[in-house]
Amino acid sequence: MRWGVPVAAIAVVGAAVGAGPVIAAVQGDPSLPDRTAEQLLAEVAKAAHDRQPPAMSGTLVETASLGLPSLPIPGGTSSSPLSLLSGSHTIRVWYGGDGRVRLALPGQMSETDFISTGKGEAWVWESTSNTATRFKLPAGAKATGLETAHSALPTATTPNELAAHALKAAETNTAVTVENGQHIAGRAAYQLVLTPKDSSSLVKEVKLALDGETYVPLRVQVFAKGAAEPAFEVGFTQVTFSAPAPENFAFTPPAGAKVEEKTIGAAGKDSHELGADHGPLAKEADKPRMSGSGWGTIVQMPFSIDDLAKQEAGRENGRGGDPAQMVNSLLKSAKQVSGPWGSGRVVQSKLVSALLTDDGRLLVGAVTPEALAEAAGHK
């Protein structure tokens, strides 16, 4: 959110099981018991109360095909989280429960790791800059490892997280059907198909594959209207539902590494990095506000490219991307628009539209530019 660009809807391509006779053999496995859409939604809601998935480990493949113009972000072999905005990428994940989480973004010659130890601290290790950042959680504060992971690596997502957003949007004005016979990462799965009825939405449908035993989301595919292939997809290519070894959640900075210390939620210039209510969005009037509902939800917030550039100035950017440069690159392909609300520039991808008004507002949603313009009239 602090970048002012829609990076939440990052997608991932789950691996295909095979072709020809291999598919036929896999599909010949015993099918899962029939479940209605209502029964599956109830199971997902029940599982969501745990807030974290069961102990597990696995490998995800993410692919984003947003139809964005060329951006100044790292290439496909980079371990930078910004590189997840385009192309296909691999993420390794470990969940140990009790706040213990590890995400690893390997690159060709680099790696970025997030490790939540479950002991009130988390680490972000970036091999390209040889930097280890230790985030300390204040006493009494509550944050799960997954919440902290998403704050530290905002462009890295999991099927569990993306499924939660999709199901929240599907609470109203959505048709839901069930497909059986899916196999994801060797696991039999149910597939919920969520079809928005909102005409302003750019989403044609979302396919959510649930593990047939644990009901954990194994893959999420987001399809844009008019497209046969998913624009966003995230899915496991390998998954094991057993407790990872404890050493996966331990971290000691390598000799010679630069070590930085930050506190999550404490007052200070860095506290907003992990979602604290401090910094550029501290004032009530400056906080993002929502309009619409479900698939038609629009986020509106104050925004200035100059302010973003000043915020990034002086920071050591070991992740290989500059948010201000990204926004400027996007705006080069923007279309000038105007109306009773004023004037501005609009950028549309397959699934997300963004309107930057000349009076300093940013409106973002998985909706048509016309819907954003209408919302801009309600200040």
Side-chain angles (χ1 to χ4, degrees), residues 289 291 300 341 361 363 371-379:
R289 60 187 179 92
S291 61
Q300 183 174 167
W341 48 270
R361 292 177 292 153
L363 294 89
L372 293 182
E374 182 179 352
H378 304 287
K379 296 184 180 181

Side-chain angles (χ1 to χ4, degrees), residues 6 202 346-349 351-355 363-369 372:
L202 297 177
V346 67
V347 177
Q348 181 179 352
S349 70
L351 287 177
V352 178
S353 297
L355 170 63
L363 294 89
V364 180
V367 297
T368 62
L372 293 182

